[in-house]
Amino acid sequence: MITAIMQPTYLPWIGYFDLIDSVDQFVFLDDAQVLKRSWGVRNRVLGQNGETFLTVPLTGHSQSEDCTFVSTAVDAHPKWRKTHLATIRHAYSKTPHFAEVFAELEALMGAGHATIGALNQAFVTATAERMGITTPFVQSSQLDGVSGRKDEWLLSICRAIGADTYLSAQGSAAYIEKDHQSGAFAGSGVELRYHNFAHPTYEQSSDEFVGYMSIVDLLMHCGYASALEIIRSGRQSMLTSAELKEVA
């Protein structure tokens, strides 16, 4: 079984969803620490004047390890939710699929999710289902016998769910490969592979294509029915640690 493990991101980019679609089970690392100004609390949409960041305000947040996705509250005041929706409306009101996508975002914002983890996971799971992704989701906070730090933590999660292959985001190589090739996965019996994704282009309102926006951008322009085919068009063969080093 192939698994991927990622922190629940706010309105993720399309590569996040390709990672989900590439595995047999996807684990939300919801007991990881929430960092301010990270993708866990913000993302980008493409407006008339270029990219705009949408950031979720948190309540009682500090940089301590106790502030995890599963425990950190979002600001209960509705102002920021209205602001995010207004920004999205202004950016995409003239796109072909505005009505259906905006209705889903209104429902998300109106649901009153109390924590940043619950908010992010609700968007990811609902969007994946609407696009036709059938990968089941697991929360790391619900697993027993998980311990360690960084790559050891990831390995223990793989063992807890019975995965024999871990598909990692390439950005995680900075700490997985830090001390030696494949880190804690070397000789563990769990194969390490790296996600390999080339951002596809699609019809946008802008004159020149701008990538790495929130998936909201793709959905607004192309709709749920076409989104998964476009996302899958960017998928390339998984990389080993050695292969990643060669292309880095």
Side-chain angles (χ1 to χ4, degrees):
M1 180 178 72
I2 303 175
T3 192
I5 306 167
M6 290 288 289
Q7 297 179 8
T9 298
Y10 183 59
L11 309 181
W13 75 299
I14 64 176
Y16 189 102
F17 286 91
D18 185 68
L19 184 62
I20 295 171
D21 188 51
S22 299
V23 299
D24 301 307
Q25 192 169 64
F26 184 87
V27 180
F28 285 119
L29 198 64
D30 65 337
D31 48 358
Q33 181 183 3
V34 183
L35 298 176
K36 291 182 178 180
R37 299 182 64 82
S38 70
W39 298 117
V41 297
R42 67 175 188 167
N43 224 305
R44 298 173 290 189
V45 294
L46 187 61
Q48 297 175 3
N49 297 317
E51 65 180 53
T52 299
F53 273 97
L54 301 174
T55 302
V56 180
L58 305 177
T59 300
H61 180 270
S62 70
Q63 293 295 85
S64 73
E65 294 184 0
D66 293 335
C67 291
T68 64
F69 285 90
V70 74
S71 65
T72 301
V74 299
D75 190 336
H77 197 283
K79 181 179 179 180
W80 72 266
R81 301 174 194 264
K82 293 179 180 178
T83 299
H84 283 205
L85 288 173
T87 301
I88 292 170
R89 181 189 293 110
H90 182 70
Y92 296 112
S93 61
K94 296 181 180 180
T95 57
H97 299 274
F98 172 77
E100 62 171 340
V101 178
F102 194 75
E104 293 289 336
L105 292 171
E106 283 187 309
L108 173 75
M109 294 300 182
H113 297 291
T115 66
I116 186 64
L119 174 68
N120 292 354
Q121 290 171 68
F123 175 79
V124 170
T125 55
T127 301
E129 182 179 359
R130 283 292 304 269
M131 292 192 299
I133 296 175
T134 59
T135 305
F137 295 91
V138 176
Q139 295 170 291
S140 60
S141 62
Q142 301 301 308
L143 299 175
D144 295 324
V146 172
S147 62
R149 294 183 61 83
K150 295 189 175 181
D151 51 332
E152 293 178 350
W153 186 17
L154 300 177
L155 176 59
S156 70
I157 291 173
C158 289
R159 286 173 169 163
I161 63 173
D164 54 29
T165 303
Y166 174 55
L167 183 59
S168 172
Q170 291 191 23
S172 299
Y175 63 83
I176 293 177
E177 310 284 342
K178 182 179 179 181
D179 295 327
H180 56 84
Q181 186 169 301
S182 298
F185 290 90
S188 69
V190 178
E191 292 189 37
L192 172 65
R193 294 292 183 270
Y194 287 97
H195 186 220
N196 192 13
F197 184 76
H199 200 307
T201 60
Y202 50 85
E203 192 68 28
Q204 274 181 338
S205 302
S206 57
D207 294 333
E208 294 185 7
F209 181 78
V210 181
Y212 302 96
M213 297 294 106
S214 163
I215 195 172
V216 170
D217 187 79
L218 169 64
L219 297 175
M220 288 290 188
H221 287 100
C222 303
Y224 290 102
S226 301
L228 187 54
E229 181 180 359
I230 294 170
I231 291 171
R232 286 174 173 172
S233 72
R235 188 178 307 169
Q236 301 185 49
S237 299
M238 296 182 290
L239 300 173
T240 64
S241 294
E243 290 170 336
L244 179 64
K245 187 176 181 179
E246 291 177 1
V247 301

